[in-house]
Amino acid sequence: MVWNPDELDDRARALAHACLDHWTDDANGGTPPDRLRDSIQSVENAPDDAELRRFLQAFIDTAPEATGPDHPWADAPLGVLLRGLYSIARQHLRSPEARDVLRLCNQVRSSVEHVGELDSHPNELMAALMVVEDAVNAIEGYSALPPFDHVDEAYLAKYGLLQAMQVGFDGAEAVARCLGARVRADAMDGGKAVKVARNIVAGHPIGGTMAGESWHHFHDRGSAHDKSMIRVMSFSRTDPENWTGQTLLTDELISDSMDVISQVLRRGLDDYSERHAEH
């Protein structure tokens, strides 16, 4: 479940408290490691946001060994609460840009609940908002991945990142349409570069026209393991000796995609608010 970013502090502390309350509830015996309990107590008692983020990261680093399905407490209240706290912790540690997008999604919901008068059925808007939120989760998931050990997981992650960006753009454009605005993601600063990267790597890699000439595009295998970049190689269809390459930094693509999604949502919401200001 995606929570309001402004509620995550209180929810993290509340879930930490509940985990400690249920620490010995399991009827089959056994409890998670003491170091996990220590990290949860630190989350509950964190004095400020900076410390809370630090303790939540410590919990995330420790929790996977205790949240799997094979533990005796997995189906007990403690297991459910541990998984809930893990989800809240991951959401709390999202980037500021991702949290801004999620706040905008909540602002859209609030405005529509107050005003109504959509250019679509409300279910279409809710679906589009969930698509945006899920795309943000996927994009943030790439940032949280460890370095790649195998080329197969590298390709899957990079293709997934580019597709998630495209899905986020499509979802944001759909939200704007539901609000009565026509906004194109590729018209925003950074939007065109993200869309082109997606098309030539994970969308339509074996063909395309660039500078009036037809090209073959593909991801450079030599750079596939590198999580920090996506290198695209392009060869002319008519002259194999005519080739070019482009190196795209994933951090920049992620930042640009979040900014574009925010811009599309904001323009749609501003347009909607101006047209219904009397409400």
Side-chain angles (χ1 to χ4, degrees), residues 182-197:
R182 297 294 184 267
V183 187
R184 289 179 58 97
D186 58 4
M188 306 292 178
D189 291 341
K192 186 68 173 180
V194 171
K195 282 204 168 187
V196 168

Side-chain angles (χ1 to χ4, degrees), residues 136-150:
V136 167
N137 284 337
I139 294 167
E140 288 286 289
Y142 184 91
S143 298
L145 289 174
F148 301 129
D149 292 325
H150 305 287

